[in-house]
Amino acid sequence: MKTLPVVHYTDAYLLAPTNPITVNLIGAGGTGSQLLTCLARMHQAMLALNFPGLHVTVFDDDEVSPANLGRQLFSEAEIGMNKGVALIARLNRFFGTAWKAIPQRFSRDTLSGMKDEGAANLYVSCVDTAQSRFDIAAILQGYAGFRTYQRSRPLYWMDLGNSKSTGQVLLSTVGELKQPDSQRYQTQGRLPFVTEMFRGLLEQADAADSTPSCSLAEALTKQDLFINSTLANMGASLLWSLFREGILFHRGFFLNLHDFRTQPVNIG
């Protein structure tokens, strides 16, 4: 018997949204600052195609330091500013958007003071520690049974992470999303969280040195200059496929920038 290819169909709301798709970007550092620019470009493209576009809220409690210049998208004039505030102010002026920055850590306490408790259709995490991912997973797990039809209904979580020259992107669903009937494909409505698939590896990851760098030269000994921008662009391409094609054959990838190799992660 022939095995059908395993795919995931995009939730129907994202294919014909009546309002801008809401995005919570968690972390505005090396990868987050690059990905935010990709989201702004995606927003402009969606508007040109007569879609409502995106509305992004950035969460980050960190300030711009001299070590961030060059590898992250900040200028010398922004040293001392909150990262999310600096990026959003610049992008809103450039693209004419009305996106928001929350200069706080993404947490239950932060969300409790926000309208609709900070719910969004899409969560994108660009964080440094495994514990941050477990905290995000715990918050999103509470949304798993949240199946109303309000416009901010949580649907997906995309996590991006990297070491010096390697990284990964993984897309997950918040709970199980309804899939259409198909005779050509085997559909999968639930894509497990990164914290489920790689729990053991994540629990070991925080044992590594995560001390902040004091200079750009020191930072470059820990992360390659282009690992963050490469991950961000490829992750944005995955999101673009989710929005525009309506079907995914892969839910992410592993990247080795040193050897210029990528390995896709299949749906099933």
Side-chain angles (χ1 to χ4, degrees):
M1 181 177 178
K2 184 178 180 180
T3 303
L4 297 177
V6 182
V7 302
H8 173 79
Y9 284 99
T10 304
D11 187 84
Y13 175 74
L14 297 189
L15 299 179
T18 54
N19 295 279
I21 296 169
T22 50
V23 182
N24 281 346
L25 176 60
I26 306 166
T31 304
S33 62
Q34 301 278 351
L35 186 61
L36 184 61
T37 302
C38 292
L39 292 173
R41 294 170 58 198
M42 194 181 305
H43 169 74
Q44 290 296 112
M46 294 172 82
L47 293 180
L49 295 169
N50 295 319
F51 279 76
L54 306 175
H55 180 78
V56 179
T57 301
V58 178
F59 294 80
D60 198 304
D61 62 351
D62 197 14
E63 294 182 350
V64 180
S65 71
N68 300 145
L69 306 186
R71 193 176 63 82
Q72 302 181 20
L73 291 184
F74 299 106
S75 69
E76 188 172 355
E78 294 168 328
I79 292 176
M81 292 181 62
N82 173 269
K83 290 183 176 181
V85 171
L87 290 170
I88 287 295
R90 190 194 316 151
L91 283 176
N92 281 346
R93 289 194 302 269
F94 190 90
F95 289 98
T97 50
W99 294 359
K100 297 181 180 180
I102 307 296
Q104 300 176 45
R105 184 174 178 272
F106 183 83
S107 65
R108 292 187 189 278
D109 290 341
T110 301
L111 296 176
S112 65
M114 299 176 62
K115 185 179 180 181
D116 296 328
E117 295 191 344
N121 303 133
L122 170 66
Y123 294 77
V124 181
S125 55
C126 305
V127 295
D128 294 329
T129 67
Q131 186 57 53
S132 295
R133 290 177 172 85
F134 285 116
D135 292 344
I136 294 168
I139 292 172
L140 296 186
Q141 194 60 48
Y143 292 131
F146 190 58
R147 285 294 167 261
T148 67
Y149 285 93
Q150 69 179 51
R151 64 181 183 179
S152 58
R153 182 164 65 102
L155 300 170
Y156 293 97
W157 173 23
M158 188 174 77
D159 178 71
L160 301 89
N162 67 279
S163 57
K164 182 177 181 179
S165 59
T166 62
Q168 72 286 327
V169 171
L170 194 72
L171 182 71
S172 306
T173 59
V174 181
E176 183 159 356
L177 303 182
K178 184 179 180 180
Q179 299 287 282
D181 295 331
S182 176
Q183 295 182 345
R184 296 182 58 188
Y185 303 113
Q186 177 184 345
T187 60
Q188 187 160 318
R190 181 179 181 272
L191 308 179
F193 287 172
V194 63
T195 49
E196 296 178 53
M197 296 185 66
F198 303 109
R199 175 174 291 273
L201 292 175
L202 288 172
E203 289 174 342
Q204 299 173 21
D206 276 356
D209 178 25
S210 59
T211 306
S213 302
C214 296
S215 68
L216 176 58
E218 182 182 350
L220 291 174
T221 66
K222 299 179 180 180
Q223 295 191 34
D224 184 82
L225 181 60
F226 294 107
I227 183 66
N228 301 111
S229 56
T230 304
L231 271 182
N233 276 282
M234 294 184 67
S237 181
L238 176 63
L239 289 180
W240 185 244
S241 296
L242 181 74
F243 297 145
R244 292 295 298 155
E245 297 180 10
I247 184 172
L248 294 179
F249 293 87
H250 304 95
R251 55 176 299 197
F253 59 88
F254 292 95
L255 169 69
N256 186 323
L257 194 58
H258 183 267
D259 294 334
F260 302 104
R261 289 185 292 112
T262 57
Q263 177 63 46
V265 178
N266 293 330
I267 295 294

